[in-house]
Amino acid sequence: MSALEAFQPRYTVGDYQQWEGDWELWDGIAVSMSPSPFGNHSALVARLISELSSAIDAQARNAVVLTALDWIVSKTTVVRPDVLVICDEPTAEHLRSTPPFVAEVLSPSTRERDLTFKRDLYQQEGVSSYLTLDPENKELRWFGEGAPRGWDGSVVDDTISLGLCADCSLDLKHSRLFRR
């Protein structure tokens, strides 16, 4: 451990819950969230939520699509994915169990975080499917158990068939998420 690392403050979920502003907590390190996303980012999040919700509703399944909800991973790690799916009704509190599906919409300030730290965290925590959506390049990348390249990531320009919960699977079409 370097001298810098030895003196860097480490925080817990209890500390995190007292902070003002938008933060995540990564292994005890405070990480400032970017300013609010731009319009194309928000529009892509909205389309993804709509596509996921429509597919889940059509199957009358118990899965629920959520956005910007804190996931308390451990005593020292809290993340706030852009979109996630859980296989039960949401509680009145933050999420404490691993969701089967997480998606992050890339922005210039979060791109590297989403493609490295968060990808590794989601894999380690047992997320089945992780999608990154790049609004600038209109690129959909799929990581996870069902992805052709697993956690190395697969660029998809057609349809993804996702297994979300024990009784819920759905198709996501690149063309419906990214309007040309």
Side-chain angles (χ1 to χ4, degrees):
M1 176 183 289
S2 73
L4 178 62
E5 291 172 319
F7 292 103
Q8 183 163 359
R10 298 284 185 185
Y11 300 99
T12 66
V13 170
D15 299 320
Y16 169 85
Q17 291 172 332
Q18 303 303 313
W19 299 339
E20 293 184 20
D22 288 329
W23 297 87
E24 289 185 331
L25 184 62
W26 296 0
D27 196 24
I29 298 171
V31 178
S32 176
M33 300 285 285
S34 304
S36 67
F38 296 125
N40 57 354
H41 181 284
S42 295
L44 189 51
V45 167
R47 280 195 300 275
L48 177 60
I49 291 169
S50 176
E51 289 295 314
L52 289 167
S53 296
S54 294
I56 290 167
D57 290 348
Q59 295 180 41
R61 301 299 184 208
N62 202 30
V64 178
V65 182
L66 302 168
T67 185
L69 177 69
D70 286 355
W71 171 21
I72 299 174
V73 178
S74 70
K75 291 180 182 180
T76 60
T77 302
V78 180
V79 291
R80 187 179 304 155
D82 287 326
V83 178
L84 50 87
V85 174
I86 61 172
C87 297
D88 203 355
E89 289 300 315
T91 66
E93 299 176 358
H94 297 296
L95 183 64
R96 291 188 179 267
S97 59
T98 300
F101 174 89
V102 174
E104 299 282 4
V105 177
L106 304 179
S107 63
S109 61
T110 66
R111 173 183 213 82
E112 288 307 310
R113 295 176 184 181
D114 293 339
L115 292 173
T116 57
F117 174 81
K118 285 192 171 180
R119 182 203 62 216
D120 293 347
L121 174 69
Y122 297 154
Q123 178 183 12
Q124 174 185 325
E125 292 303 317
V127 171
S128 297
S129 289
Y130 173 45
L131 296 184
T132 60
L133 297 90
D134 184 346
E136 194 170 307
N137 297 316
K138 296 187 179 190
E139 183 178 88
L140 175 63
R141 189 174 296 261
W142 180 19
F143 302 87
E145 296 169 8
R149 295 185 59 215
W151 283 96
D152 289 334
S154 306
V155 175
V156 178
D157 58 8
D158 193 16
T159 300
I160 298 175
S161 294
L162 297 171
L164 295 178
C165 305
D167 65 345
C168 183
S169 61
L170 58 88
D171 292 340
L172 279 179
K173 295 180 186 272
H174 180 280
S175 61
R176 292 188 52 89
L177 295 171
F178 297 98
R179 306 220 168 103
R180 303 227 183 239

